[in-house]
Amino acid sequence: MPQPLVMGVLNVTPDSFSDGGRWLDADAAVAHGLAMAAEGADVVDVGGESTRPGAEPVAEDEELRRVLPVVEALAPHVRVSVDTRRRGVAEKAVAAGATLVNDVSASLWPVAAAAGAGVGWVAMHMRGEPRTMQRAPEYHDVVAEVRAFLVDRASTARDAGVEEVWIDPGIGFGKTAAHNLALLRSLRSLAGAGWPVLVGASRKTFLGVVTAEPPGGPVVPADDRLEASLAVAVWAADQGAAMVRVHDVRPTVHALQLVAGLAS
Ligand code: HH2
């Protein structure tokens, strides 16, 4: 089993669902990004707008104010991705040194295409938009719909000249716990679609639903979902994911190292 890359989450926001407010100060954010790199993160994913369910959009100049100094300071030391839905933010972050556009809107491939070789793009699937996406999401066949969407966007980006294209099923973005589990169950098939797969399940709500004690009881809070997050990362690796997006870099790297060693 090849060991997937690890993308460390760095939310420079006051309201992210699990680390909101912790890295809002630029110096604290940079220090945390460097610490994740030292722990083995291959990419540090800098975001200035929470996309958790119910989150309110942030003004573009505020998002830029949060993200740019952090991207600039980290880029000489570690590969940086910018987690944004805004073209202007993606463009300026790339100019500041980011080499991967992590795009939950799956629409910003022209930014990567214009930047040329060396700048990649992640297409993530989302149903609706963060403010309302968890209001009773419905699919006829979530696995088939997500796959078709991602393959279509990835092909469009490749045709537009983007050399490095990733696809991501968007765990938790307009999906029930059952939808998330179905997508994770079918990862191997998604990984066979011809594009490297990124999976971001770290600390997400469905993990707190699945691990509730007793079953059906209160949802386990975000800061108590480490074991479940590690289990999903290992599962994703085993099913062929090429990168996992996580908050807890060190334990994830250790878990992935162990399983890759066993499987080789
Ligand atoms: N999940 C979140 C944000 N960005 N990007 C990709 N490619 N895949 C994901 O699953 C993904 C993502 C949400 O998690 P987080 O950044 O921790 O929270 P918030 O959106 O509240 O800042």
Side-chain angles (χ1 to χ4, degrees), residues 9 11 15-17 49-52 83 102 104 122 124 168 171 173 198 200 204 245 247:
V9 179
N11 288 316
D15 57 344
S16 288
F17 79 95
E49 179 187 55
S50 172
T51 46
R52 70 179 158 73
D83 183 357
N102 177 24
V104 304
V122 179
M124 196 202 77
D168 180 332
I171 299 298
F173 285 83
L198 167 62
K204 286 189 177 167
R245 181 182 182 276
H247 300 84

Side-chain angles (χ1 to χ4, degrees), residues 41-136:
D42 300 283
V43 181
V44 171
D45 189 39
V46 180
E49 179 187 55
S50 172
T51 46
R52 70 179 158 73
E56 292 293 337
V58 171
E60 181 161 337
D61 53 354
E62 172 62 13
E63 192 180 340
L64 286 168
R65 196 189 62 74
R66 293 177 185 174
V67 160
L68 287 186
V70 178
V71 170
E72 215 163 59
L74 289 176
H77 306 287
V78 61
R79 186 171 195 197
V80 173
S81 57
V82 60
D83 183 357
T84 188
R85 298 187 286 161
R86 288 214 173 82
R87 187 178 181 132
V89 175
E91 284 169 346
K92 291 191 173 73
V94 166
T99 59
L100 189 59
V101 177
N102 177 24
D103 176 12
V104 304
S105 74
S107 63
L108 299 178
W109 70 87
V111 177
V119 176
W121 177 66
V122 179
M124 196 202 77
H125 177 273
M126 169 164 58
R127 169 64 61 81
E129 45 112 14
R131 209 165 42 81
T132 53
M133 67 189 176
Q134 288 305 101
R135 289 186 198 155

